[in-house]
Amino acid sequence: MPIYKKSKSSFWWIDIRTSGGERVRRSTGTYDKRQAQEYHDKVKAELWRLDKLGEQPEFSFDQAALKVLRLSEGQKDYKTKIRHIKYWRSCFGGRAISSLTSDEIFNNLPTHRLVKSGKSKAQPLAAATKNRYLATMSRILHIAYDENWLQKIPKLGKFKEADVRIRWITREQAQLLINQFQTEWMRNVCSFALSTGARMSEILSLEWSQVDIGKKLCWVTGDKAKSGKSRPIPLNSDAMSVIWSCLGKNKKWVFVRDTGTHPKEINRKSFNSAVKKLRLGDFHFHDLRHTWASWHVQSGTPLMVLKELGGWETLEMVKKYAHLDASHLEMHANSVTFWSPISKTEAA
């Protein structure tokens, strides 16, 4: 049967035998029978031309982009990939993937984004944002290469990104910030962030099934972690105090509003008001995580340990905090001096 379904709810599949006896079975990626038949006819024609004329079939940018989207399903940045691919299709849709060049890709990079603030205006894209667009394109090209749709991958460079911004506050400032919040749930969420380094999405999605009070642990599951990997979060005394105060307020969610409803994000108006009142300047919720990491480094926590505690994928991501502690260099500082008097031991 040239096209068929494995089940009523599945995509249509094709089943073709080449003149050499090779059997080709693959999903069409569509529920539409007419589209599936067109795909079958196209593949059959390409196989014939390859077999009889030795012609390599041309694959489109759209085919490679669609495959990337299928492979990315379930990933936390899936919506971002959709946005990137939608943009790249507006540039290269319908083109053969093999026809793309490095210069074309760079020349078609987005340069601005619209910002709505009274009147919509365009703002230049940051180097980091451009690099994310390039990363998605690079993924498309590598998938095409793995499928033998490309003989060579166009080399894509990378824009130099600004130094990583690290904003943190002192323990005294943190206490003042927490005391500014009028609602208990905001105090709890921010206190938990400062004591665990967990991200906003990890905190607000935390369920009681992910908490073990006896072991003083909670878990971030892979589907909610930025890295896509599960990790345990040890709970110190401050975090445990927050957990105890949240008990009994909701059967499923750990953090709920004072009304008992589950929030999807923090009360930004309340947070920004507290920051403004304390004159903390450019300080955002995610900076609570930076603050937690900074306190750890200043207290002597090894970077490899901090990497595991915070769920960073690579050590490079943690090295941005390394300058906050130089205790491991102190013992070597006096190895070379020229002004201080030489001790008797050194003279001997």
Side-chain angles (χ1 to χ4, degrees):
M1 194 173 180
I3 63 170
Y4 66 97
K5 277 193 168 190
K6 289 187 174 183
S7 66
K8 288 184 178 180
S9 59
S10 73
F11 290 135
W12 285 95
W13 281 64
I14 62 172
D15 188 347
I16 304 171
R17 282 197 181 276
T18 66
S19 59
E22 181 184 356
R23 193 173 188 183
V24 177
R25 285 186 291 183
R26 67 176 70 155
S27 170
T28 64
T30 180
Y31 298 105
D32 187 286
K33 187 175 182 180
R34 181 182 59 80
Q35 292 177 355
Q37 186 64 55
E38 288 177 0
Y39 181 72
H40 166 274
D41 296 342
K42 182 181 178 183
V43 172
K44 189 173 182 180
E46 288 174 349
L47 290 172
W48 183 88
R49 296 186 72 86
L50 176 63
D51 182 49
K52 300 296 183 183
L53 306 176
E55 291 183 2
Q56 289 292 335
E58 284 284 5
F59 293 92
S60 69
F61 171 84
D62 306 80
Q63 286 175 284
L66 181 60
K67 192 168 184 68
V68 168
L69 284 178
R70 286 177 184 158
L71 293 173
S72 303
E73 285 181 4
Q75 295 179 2
K76 288 187 72 66
D77 64 345
Y78 186 64
K79 287 184 179 179
T80 301
K81 280 193 172 65
I82 290 176
R83 185 172 69 252
H84 290 174
I85 288 175
K86 185 178 180 180
Y87 171 79
W88 285 123
R89 283 195 68 196
S90 71
C91 302
F92 303 122
R95 285 273 300 275
I97 188 73
S98 60
S99 69
L100 271 59
T101 66
S102 302
D103 286 343
E104 273 191 299
I105 293 169
F106 263 89
N107 291 338
N108 280 281
L109 267 171
T111 58
H112 291 74
R113 66 185 178 93
L114 282 178
V115 178
K116 291 185 178 180
S117 53
K119 292 182 179 180
S120 296
K121 57 181 181 179
Q123 284 189 352
L125 285 185
T129 304
K130 292 179 181 178
N131 284 336
R132 302 296 88 76
Y133 275 90
L134 286 172
T136 300
M137 174 58 79
S138 179
R139 175 69 172 148
I140 293 170
L141 295 172
H142 277 82
I143 286 294
Y145 181 78
D146 292 341
E147 293 289 332
N148 293 317
W149 299 350
L150 269 181
Q151 297 301 312
K152 185 179 179 181
I153 301 174
K155 189 174 182 180
L156 301 181
K158 194 175 182 181
F159 290 92
K160 179 175 174 55
E161 298 182 19
D163 292 337
V164 177
R165 171 189 175 280
I166 298 179
R167 177 76 172 89
W168 61 279
I169 55 178
T170 65
R171 287 171 171 77
E172 293 74 18
Q173 288 173 317
Q175 290 173 354
L176 290 172
L177 179 65
I178 297 300
N179 291 335
Q180 283 294 317
F181 299 122
Q182 300 299 311
T183 55
E184 184 183 18
W185 79 273
M186 276 294 290
R187 290 195 293 272
N188 282 339
V189 168
C190 293
S191 296
F192 197 78
L194 282 166
S195 56
T196 64
R199 300 175 177 90
M200 185 198 301
S201 59
E202 296 171 344
I203 296 172
L204 297 182
S205 63
L206 189 64
E207 301 180 20
W208 285 112
S209 59
Q210 298 165 238
V211 179
D212 189 323
I213 293 178
K215 293 182 179 179
K216 297 182 179 180
L217 279 175
C218 69
W219 290 268
V220 173
T221 55
D223 60 319
K224 297 170 184 174
K226 186 177 179 180
S227 65
K229 299 176 183 176
S230 302
R231 79 174 192 279
I233 298 180
L235 304 175
N236 60 20
S237 56
D238 289 341
M240 284 302 299
S241 295
V242 172
I243 291 295
W244 283 114
S245 71
C246 292
L247 275 172
K249 293 183 178 180
N250 189 286
K251 290 183 179 180
K252 180 180 180 179
W253 305 106
V254 175
F255 295 97
V256 293
R257 295 187 182 90
D258 294 350
T259 57
T261 58
H262 178 240
K264 291 185 178 180
E265 66 172 357
I266 62 164
N267 185 330
R268 295 188 183 278
K269 184 177 180 181
S270 174
F271 188 89
N272 294 336
S273 175
V275 167
K276 185 176 181 180
K277 194 168 185 178
L278 293 175
R279 298 181 179 179
L280 295 180
D282 184 24
F283 192 82
H284 308 283
F285 183 87
H286 194 71
D287 293 324
L288 298 176
R289 176 173 165 85
H290 290 318
T291 296
W292 166 83
S294 300
W295 289 352
H296 261 288
V297 172
Q298 291 164 2
S299 299
T301 302
L303 294 184
M304 278 301 296
V305 175
L306 181 61
K307 171 183 172 295
E308 298 302 316
L309 286 172
W312 283 283
E313 289 189 77
T314 66
L315 188 60
E316 282 299 316
M317 296 178 178
V318 189
K319 284 184 178 178
K320 59 189 175 185
Y321 302 104
H323 69 284
L324 297 171
D325 178 39
S327 59
H328 61 296
L329 304 175
E330 186 178 353
M331 61 182 291
H332 303 288
N334 288 317
S335 296
V336 176
T337 61
F338 71 95
W339 191 261
S340 301
I342 300 175
S343 68
K344 292 181 180 179
T345 305
E346 290 173 324

